[in-house]
């Protein structure tokens, strides 16, 4: 079979197995298994695929057909135009989270100390430090396994945040000019309704926002105030229906100028508030 026929066959196979982005994924997995890229593919698409490559392609297609996320098979995900390693110990970085990073970068002034809570893959703090080498970063996570991934990602991207392991602020010392977090925010009962890629293969710990999904916001809003320098900011990613509840809680806790920011789909995505000077 030629590369072209093999790709078509891969697309149909994934489609039959009910994979949403069958066409895109069939291509990306072909690129992975055959070490090819678009230009190469067009040059060689009428040539036969060697046996080892065909077998390698079948192996990764079968994994994807079991709803293993594409990124767990390729081992990577791009975020803010930067490469990040991922595995089953961390949440796969989402494009929506780029809105949070962009808002944080707008507020960041030279020399600011940034704290990223529930850092997971480290995508938030690492991309902030990469684009703004004038910032200082600390990041915590409860999961030691997640921090191992974050440390590798920091190395790949050549930035040096301080990683600490523990429950939110517990391992953290000192005060910060910005606290940023994309914490787990899905109500426990909702998790089983998510797509299999997420509910079966992404870490439960990174998804579970407890009964009402707001458990981490409540704690971070309350505990965070004393870790913020005057004039500092608290920024969260939130679920589309959590804007009101999170912003009201921030106002009640004394944060000022609290505002909800929408994502590209027009849904509430980020909440930001400041501590008075
Ligand atoms: N902060 C990481 C991210 O945004 C992980 C978030 C999480 O585990 N809930 O991707």
């Amino acid at each position: 079979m030629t590369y072209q026929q093999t790709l078509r066959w891969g697309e149909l196979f994934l489609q039959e197995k009910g994979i949403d982005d069958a066409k895109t994924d069939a291509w990306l997995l072909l690129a992975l298994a055959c070490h090819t890229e678009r230009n190469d593919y067009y040059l060689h698409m009428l040539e036969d695929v060697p046996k080892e490559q065909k077998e390698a392609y079948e192996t990764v297609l079968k994994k994807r057909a079991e709803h293993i996320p594409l990124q767990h098979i390729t081992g990577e995900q791009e975020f803010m135009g930067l490469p990040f390693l991922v595995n089953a110990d961390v949440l796969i970085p989402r494009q929506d989270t780029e809105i949070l990073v962009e808002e944080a970068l707008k507020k960041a002034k030279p020399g600011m100390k940034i704290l990223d809570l529930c850092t997971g893959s480290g995508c938030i703090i690492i991309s902030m430090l990469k684009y703004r080498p004038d910032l200082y970063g600390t990041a915590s996570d409860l999961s030691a396994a997640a921090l191992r991934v974050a440390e590798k990602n920091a190395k790949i991207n050549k930035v040096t945040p301080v990683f600490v392991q523990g429950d939110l602020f517990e391992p953290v010392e000192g005060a910060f000019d910005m606290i940023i977090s994309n914490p787990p925010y899905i109500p426990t009962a909702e998790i089983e309704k998510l797509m299999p890629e997420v509910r079966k293969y992404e870490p439960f710990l990174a998804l579970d926002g407890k009964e009402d999904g707001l458990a981490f916001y409540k704690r971070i809003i309350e505990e965070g105030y004393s870790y913020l320098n005057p004039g500092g900011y608290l920024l969260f990613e939130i679920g589309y229906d959590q804007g009101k509840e999170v912003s009201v809680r921030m106002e009640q806790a004394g944060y000022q100028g609290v505002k909800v920011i929408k994502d590209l789909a027009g849904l509430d995505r980020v909440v930001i508030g400041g501590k008075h000077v």
Side-chain angles (χ1 to χ4, degrees), residues 65-80:
E66 287 167 34
H67 292 272
I68 295 177
L70 180 81
Q71 297 89 335
H72 286 184
I73 304 171
T74 62
E76 57 189 32
Q77 170 65 44
E78 192 189 89
F79 180 80
M80 294 293 293

Side-chain angles (χ1 to χ4, degrees), residues 91-94 97 116-121 123-124 182-184 206-207:
L91 192 81
I92 299 166
R94 306 296 207 262
T97 307
D116 173 24
L117 298 172
C118 312
T119 195
S121 66
C123 62
I124 294 173
N182 174 24
L207 302 170

Side-chain angles (χ1 to χ4, degrees), residues 128-141:
M128 286 189 71
L129 297 189
K130 185 73 188 177
Y131 288 110
R132 288 290 300 273
D134 59 349
L135 304 176
Y136 299 93
T138 301
S140 77
D141 203 289

Side-chain angles (χ1 to χ4, degrees), residues 27-163:
W27 159 251
L28 291 170
L29 292 172
L30 184 82
L32 177 76
C34 304
H35 316 286
T36 184
E37 44 163 352
R38 277 285 172 199
N39 284 350
D40 254 10
Y41 169 78
Y42 285 119
L43 284 173
H44 302 288
M45 65 185 184
L46 301 178
E47 294 168 21
D48 276 340
V49 179
K51 189 161 164 281
E52 323 80 70
Q53 288 190 4
K54 177 82 194 310
E55 281 168 10
Y57 190 41
E58 277 175 23
T59 306
V60 290
L61 281 174
K62 276 185 196 149
K63 286 191 186 168
R64 187 67 192 96
E66 287 167 34
H67 292 272
I68 295 177
L70 180 81
Q71 297 89 335
H72 286 184
I73 304 171
T74 62
E76 57 189 32
Q77 170 65 44
E78 192 189 89
F79 180 80
M80 294 293 293
L82 302 171
F84 286 88
L85 299 179
V86 296
N87 63 22
D89 294 323
V90 298
L91 192 81
I92 299 166
R94 306 296 207 262
Q95 208 183 351
D96 292 329
T97 307
E98 294 184 353
I99 311 271
L100 175 67
V101 174
E102 281 161 14
E103 288 304 317
L105 290 174
K106 282 186 209 163
K107 296 284 180 204
K109 296 186 196 78
M112 273 192 166
K113 290 172 69 186
I114 319 290
L115 173 64
D116 173 24
L117 298 172
C118 312
T119 195
S121 66
C123 62
I124 294 173
I125 194 70
I126 291 169
S127 48
M128 286 189 71
L129 297 189
K130 185 73 188 177
Y131 288 110
R132 288 290 300 273
D134 59 349
L135 304 176
Y136 299 93
T138 301
S140 77
D141 203 289
L142 185 58
S143 158
L147 286 174
R148 282 196 286 276
V149 177
E151 271 161 7
K152 282 188 197 154
N153 283 326
K155 221 175 238 164
I156 290 170
N157 287 292
K158 301 192 176 66
V159 293
T160 51
V162 176
F163 290 110

Side-chain angles (χ1 to χ4, degrees), residues 187-254:
T188 311
E190 300 292 318
I191 294 177
E192 64 185 35
K193 300 179 202 153
L194 300 175
M195 60 201 285
E197 278 80 350
V198 181
R199 79 178 136 78
K200 282 174 76 178
Y201 296 103
E202 294 212 75
F204 185 79
L205 197 65
L207 302 170
D208 183 26
K210 315 282 162 144
E211 203 182 334
D212 60 359
L214 301 172
F216 291 92
Y217 299 115
K218 292 177 190 163
R219 285 187 56 199
I220 295 170
I221 289 169
E222 230 177 79
E223 297 172 33
Y225 204 75
S226 65
Y227 283 88
L228 267 185
N229 287 323
Y233 298 96
L234 173 63
L235 293 99
F236 286 123
E237 175 172 324
I238 52 157
Y240 72 95
D241 55 355
Q242 294 171 325
K244 184 95 202 137
E245 278 161 304
V246 172
S247 50
V248 165
R249 281 191 164 78
M250 279 177 67
E251 279 162 359
Q252 284 167 350

